Amino acid sequence: MKLRFAPSPTGMLHVGNARQAIANALFARKHNATFQLRIDDTDIGRSQEIYVAGIKTDLEWLGISWDETFRQTECLDRYNRAIEALKASGRLYPCFESEQELAAKREMRIRLRKPPLYDRAMLKMTAAQRAQAEANGKVPYWRFKLTDASKGWKDLVMGNCSVKLTAVSDPVLVRADGTILYTLASIVDDLETGVTHIIRGEDHITNTGVQLDIAEALGAKPDRFTFAHLPLLLDEGGGKLSKRFDSMSIKTLRRDGIEAEAMTTYLASLGSSKSPEPMGFDALAQDYDLSCISKSAARFDMKQLLGLNRRILAAAEFQDVRKRLPEGATEQFWLAIRGNIELLTECHHWWHVTHGDITPPAQPEELDYLRQAADLLPDEPWSEETWSTWTKAITEATGRKGKALFRPLRLALTGEEHGPELKMLLPLIGRQRSLARLALTV
């Protein structure tokens, strides 16, 4: 068994691509299969090395490793052999229409209330007509002649799938400049490198029918591959999740403080009947089951991802995050804040609250109360019991309880309405800072 993930290095890895990468990697890990990373870089004009490096960095961060890797630009001879074989069998034929001519044909068919399919006019071209076109400086692009059959398969997610090829235009496989298109290069790679299982997006279903026809034209058996098509991802509003939003790139989410375990767990469970439970990659692989994924589109909900991230951080040990905390941060600091942050990047704010200088909001109406509180502040050394001791003394002196007691103190000491327990924060802030902040608020 062999699976692959085949990103195009034309941009950053997006959550939709990452979901497919995770699905393939988990399935491969569960079944002890080979996992291949293929870089689909035949689009020379848009492919960039910075994106190749970024994709690999993102995959490694997610916990994904690969057994083999290659680039499509290293395999041009492989594609040329397939092209010559298809030409020899008569399945790949030259076309000379311009984009304007094709657009006019499509418009005419639409006016006649016919599907805008390619009319195969070039199949009627004689050798003499082709020679004349080339003599006039025209360079052909090449289309694959589809059969009139339907291509069906048992999909591991979608169930029984079928593509009626008569409802699809003969695909262009080679551009006039000799560029190989994905439809051909991908299936040739899968055949040549022994890929057995292909997990990809639902938007490839029609393409799968076409590629099966190409594979059979190249001598493959009809049941050569096993497919699983994952439903589309929607945004929180129910619209198609756009890959144009940088905020949905793995690089951006990682930089913003999303934990790798949260991302892999969330994307693996997205659209399935299973609730996301934080677990390592190996445990997640053993639990992964394509049959649990719904056929309906899944909705990417940032609130759910953040909730999962919060759970992971709340359970994280100091040594697990130590290198990513502010310089000088202690275990005491981490234990104080970990249950009240959604993103690790928030720890910098609380480090500033406990060890820096802040300007708390003015509370002129609480002038007398805060002065009394300052006068009752216990001497150091402080511990987690100090907060309770201090607030009891304040209650006895002022009669205040509940929100009237705690809110002015929290605002004065932290500048925030909410946050970690003050019994944990107060020893970190210290008596000198506490007195200064109580004075600043009046």
Side-chain angles (χ1 to χ4, degrees):
M1 185 186 292
K2 179 184 284 190
L3 292 95
R4 49 80 164 171
F5 176 58
S8 298
T10 56
M12 295 182 289
L13 195 67
H14 187 267
V15 292
N17 303 122
R19 183 192 185 203
Q20 295 174 31
I22 290 167
N24 278 281
L26 290 176
F27 194 89
R29 185 78 62 90
K30 180 174 183 176
H31 296 281
N32 197 30
T34 301
F35 182 63
Q36 175 192 97
L37 173 63
R38 188 183 80 208
I39 303 298
D40 286 4
D41 61 346
T42 53
D43 188 344
I44 303 297
R46 298 172 59 214
S47 296
Q48 296 184 36
E49 283 303 309
I50 190 172
Y51 293 135
V52 175
I55 287 168
K56 291 181 177 180
T57 296
D58 289 339
L59 292 178
E60 289 170 345
W61 176 73
L62 289 168
I64 296 175
S65 58
W66 46 92
D67 302 298
E68 57 187 49
T69 184
F70 67 93
R71 303 180 182 215
Q72 288 191 322
T73 49
E74 300 168 349
C75 306
L76 299 183
D77 288 345
R78 176 188 295 169
Y79 310 139
N80 288 330
R81 289 194 300 270
I83 289 168
E84 293 308 314
L86 292 174
K87 287 180 179 178
S89 66
R91 298 295 295 277
L92 201 61
Y93 60 96
C95 300
F96 292 92
E97 299 104 329
S98 65
E99 284 296 327
Q100 292 78 9
E101 290 171 320
L102 290 172
K105 285 185 177 185
R106 285 192 296 269
E107 190 174 326
M108 177 63 71
R109 289 184 68 88
I110 290 172
R111 284 204 299 266
L112 294 173
R113 297 185 178 180
K114 295 181 179 180
L117 300 177
Y118 180 65
D119 61 7
R120 291 181 169 176
M122 291 293 102
L123 283 173
K124 302 174 184 177
M125 178 176 279
T126 65
Q129 289 172 326
R130 176 182 172 182
Q132 183 60 50
E134 291 177 335
N136 291 335
K138 288 189 174 183
V139 179
Y141 60 93
W142 297 80
R143 288 184 184 268
F144 177 75
K145 183 182 177 182
L146 295 167
T147 61
D148 295 333
S150 291
K151 295 298 178 185
W153 66 93
K154 178 70 173 179
D155 197 276
L156 296 181
V157 173
M158 294 295 180
N160 292 322
C161 292
S162 180
V163 175
K164 191 176 182 180
L165 296 180
T166 53
V168 182
S169 290
D170 288 349
V172 176
L173 299 189
V174 186
R175 294 192 181 96
D177 63 0
T179 304
I180 314 298
L181 274 79
Y182 166 85
T183 308
L184 175 63
S186 179
I187 197 66
V188 170
D189 284 332
D190 290 335
L191 288 171
E192 292 281 341
T193 63
V195 169
T196 61
H197 291 63
I198 299 173
I199 303 174
R200 55 188 178 182
E202 180 185 14
D203 52 330
H204 278 283
I205 284 182
T206 298
N207 198 37
T208 293
V210 170
Q211 288 184 311
L212 284 174
D213 206 37
I214 296 172
E216 290 183 39
L218 291 171
K221 294 181 179 179
D223 58 352
R224 172 67 174 75
F225 300 106
T226 298
F227 291 96
H229 290 84
L230 302 176
L232 296 177
L233 278 188
L234 305 179
D235 60 24
E236 294 177 19
K240 186 175 180 181
L241 194 66
S242 175
K243 295 181 180 179
R244 294 175 297 172
F245 298 150
D246 286 347
S247 61
M248 290 292 100
S249 75
I250 298 300
K251 178 182 178 181
T252 299
L253 291 169
R254 181 177 74 246
R255 184 185 60 204
D256 288 346
I258 294 294
E259 299 297 299
E261 186 176 327
M263 183 61 70
T264 53
T265 300
Y266 182 65
L267 291 179
S269 65
L270 198 57
S272 77
S273 57
K274 295 183 177 181
S275 298
E277 291 297 330
M279 62 182 74
F281 202 87
D282 286 331
L284 195 60
Q286 294 308 310
D287 190 57
Y288 192 66
D289 188 352
L290 287 171
S291 67
C292 293
I293 297 177
S294 170
K295 297 179 184 179
S296 303
R299 187 168 298 192
F300 186 93
D301 190 334
M302 184 58 74
K303 291 180 181 178
Q304 290 184 353
L305 177 59
L306 288 173
L308 186 60
N309 208 65
R310 185 186 185 107
R311 289 171 60 190
I312 289 170
L313 289 175
E317 299 296 336
F318 176 61
Q319 58 267 23
D320 297 331
V321 297
R322 183 174 187 173
K323 293 181 179 179
R324 294 187 288 155
L325 295 177
E327 185 177 353
T330 63
E331 185 171 12
Q332 182 185 11
F333 169 76
W334 174 243
L335 295 177
I337 70 163
R338 68 177 183 177
N340 286 84
I341 57 175
E342 289 184 332
L343 300 167
L344 193 64
T345 48
E346 296 172 27
C347 70
H348 294 279
H349 168 72
W350 290 110
W351 180 254
H352 187 67
V353 167
T354 56
H355 291 78
D357 295 321
I358 65 170
T359 303
Q363 300 182 74
E365 71 283 1
E366 300 290 358
L367 175 64
D368 291 337
Y369 172 63
L370 293 173
R371 280 177 175 167
Q372 281 184 285
D375 290 339
L376 294 169
L377 201 62
D379 292 329
E380 292 180 320
W382 283 0
S383 69
E384 291 182 19
E385 304 301 322
T386 303
W387 171 252
S388 176
T389 301
W390 183 35
T391 53
K392 283 181 181 178
I394 295 173
T395 297
E396 290 175 1
T398 66
R400 292 202 183 202
K401 296 180 180 179
K403 185 176 180 180
L405 169 69
F406 299 117
R407 182 177 180 273
L409 298 179
R410 179 176 285 279
L411 281 174
L413 295 171
T414 71
E416 302 288 349
E417 291 273 3
H418 307 283
E421 291 186 64
L422 280 168
K423 72 174 185 178
M424 304 285 284
L425 290 186
L426 193 62
L428 296 171
I429 295 171
R431 195 173 193 278
Q432 184 177 349
R433 286 192 187 89
S434 298
L435 285 171
R437 292 174 187 180
L438 289 167
L440 284 172
T441 60
V442 298

